[in-house]
Amino acid sequence: MSNALEEAAADFARHLRAERDVSPHTMRAYLGDLRDLCGYANEVGVSEPGELDVSLLRAWLARQHALGRSRATLARRTAAARAFTHHLHRRGLLKKDPGLLLGTPKRQRDLPSVLTQDDAARLLDKVDTQGPLGLRDLAVLEMLYGTGVRVGELCGLDIDDLEPARQTVRVLGKGGRERIVPMGEPAMRAVQDWLRAGRPALANEGSGPALFLGARGGRLHPTSARRIVHNRIAEVGQVPDLSPHGLRHSAATHLLEGGADLRSVQEILGHASLQTTQLYTHVSAERLKQVHRQAHPRGARDE
């Protein structure tokens, strides 16, 4: 039997679904965090929303830290608690909002794995394009690397989103934000080859307007797209295994290495914050330092 605090958490879940534009992934994560918070509150004898205070929240987060949760998880759980207490305060269930007193753990930004430009060329030049699936797989790889789109965005593309004359594609990103992304000649050529000689062989009544199709003719699923990337990299060999997101990271890094400015890369990737895009400047800097250490006579560190 649920208590008042758990009922308030359920009400917050309904609020998230109905009123806030959050992704399914964020929804699942937040609700899991709040279940954990409610479970901890029950352990210490708190069952009413009005009994939540900053001491309880900090004690809960301290336990997470003691359990070895990552900085990213702690930051998300802090955000979930703050969103929850803000909701309770607005509903009149908390006189003061204790979430305002919580600090946010600084997230450790790990540098993403990326391909070198030679690796990217080796991968895309050696994909076996035999049959409709071969043509599709090359188009998928060229799109992911050539445009930097997210795998979910790629799978959501329709044929009409392409603008071959302008060599661009219309992409629906996070939060329903639409952007126009340039496509290079290799990506556009691979997609047009797929549309001409590959897609018709797989299309059926259920295909609809989807640009990329699975083997049975339905819209390509992100899980299948991830499998395509891993399998094709494995077939080529001598290329580090990456996910579709790794190809996106590679695209961003190579744009910056080629002289693109941060604002342009932000627009291409669809980042809401320039701070997210700035991560890739660190990637480029780390790679330059590695080259310097290996190539400069005074670049190596003393052992």
Side-chain angles (χ1 to χ4, degrees):
M1 183 174 180
S2 62
N3 58 36
L5 182 59
E6 291 168 343
E7 290 173 1
D11 176 65
F12 179 60
R14 289 189 289 271
H15 163 73
L16 285 178
R17 291 189 182 95
E19 301 178 32
R20 293 184 58 179
D21 187 16
V22 298
S23 70
H25 175 75
T26 300
M27 171 76 74
R28 286 193 300 271
Y30 269 31
L31 296 186
D33 296 339
L34 292 182
R35 279 194 297 272
D36 195 278
L37 173 58
C38 290
Y40 177 78
N42 282 333
E43 287 180 27
V44 298
V46 171
S47 59
E48 295 290 332
E51 296 176 324
L52 284 180
D53 59 23
V54 69
S55 296
L56 184 147
L57 296 177
R58 285 174 176 163
W60 171 62
L61 291 169
R63 172 188 275 192
Q64 306 304 307
H65 183 269
L67 291 171
R69 305 296 185 226
S70 68
R71 289 185 186 180
T73 298
L74 289 172
R76 192 199 65 228
R77 293 202 160 181
T78 301
R82 291 171 72 174
F84 182 43
T85 59
H86 176 69
H87 173 76
L88 295 178
H89 180 59
R90 288 187 60 192
R91 289 283 196 270
L93 298 175
L94 273 173
K95 291 182 180 180
K96 294 182 179 180
D97 182 359
L100 296 174
L101 301 176
L102 290 177
T104 301
K106 191 172 183 180
R107 290 188 60 175
Q108 183 175 359
R109 302 302 297 269
D110 295 325
L111 296 177
S113 298
V114 296
L115 299 177
T116 65
Q117 295 186 34
D118 287 343
D119 282 339
R122 188 178 299 113
L123 169 63
L124 297 170
D125 290 344
K126 292 188 177 181
V127 173
D128 183 357
T129 56
Q130 289 288 329
L133 295 181
L135 292 171
R136 180 204 62 187
D137 292 358
L138 177 60
V140 165
L141 292 169
E142 286 280 9
M143 282 286 290
L144 288 169
Y145 173 67
T147 66
V149 295
R150 301 175 178 93
V151 66
E153 294 171 343
L154 174 124
C155 293
L157 292 174
D158 291 336
I159 296 173
D160 289 346
D161 291 326
L162 291 172
E163 297 188 40
R166 298 174 58 190
Q167 286 205 316
T168 60
V169 60
R170 184 173 60 250
V171 178
L172 188 63
K174 288 185 175 181
R177 293 187 295 270
E178 187 178 285
R179 67 187 190 278
I180 302 298
V181 179
M183 291 177 62
E185 179 63 35
M188 184 62 75
R189 183 169 58 248
V191 171
Q192 290 182 322
D193 287 347
W194 149 248
L195 288 175
R196 184 186 67 257
R199 190 181 186 279
L202 298 180
N204 56 40
E205 293 180 357
S207 299
L211 175 59
F212 291 110
L213 304 178
R216 297 181 180 179
R219 182 181 293 273
L220 184 67
H221 191 273
T223 300
S224 299
R226 293 186 184 95
R227 191 180 303 115
I228 288 168
V229 173
H230 289 300
N231 289 347
R232 291 299 183 172
I233 288 177
E235 287 175 7
V236 169
Q238 297 182 320
V239 175
D241 186 30
L242 290 181
S243 66
H245 212 62
L247 292 179
R248 174 174 162 86
H249 290 321
S250 300
T253 302
H254 297 166
L255 280 168
L256 288 168
E257 288 177 347
D261 63 274
L262 271 175
R263 288 288 182 187
S264 297
V265 176
Q266 179 189 10
E267 288 292 325
I268 290 171
L269 297 181
H271 286 155
S273 168
L274 188 63
Q275 185 177 8
T276 306
T277 316
Q278 286 174 331
L279 173 64
Y280 297 104
T281 63
H282 303 315
V283 177
S284 299
E286 285 299 316
R287 290 178 62 184
L288 287 174
K289 286 196 296 185
Q290 183 179 2
V291 169
H292 183 270
R293 284 195 296 267
Q294 292 174 346
H296 196 282
R298 292 186 179 270
R301 294 178 179 176
D302 292 335
E303 297 297 336

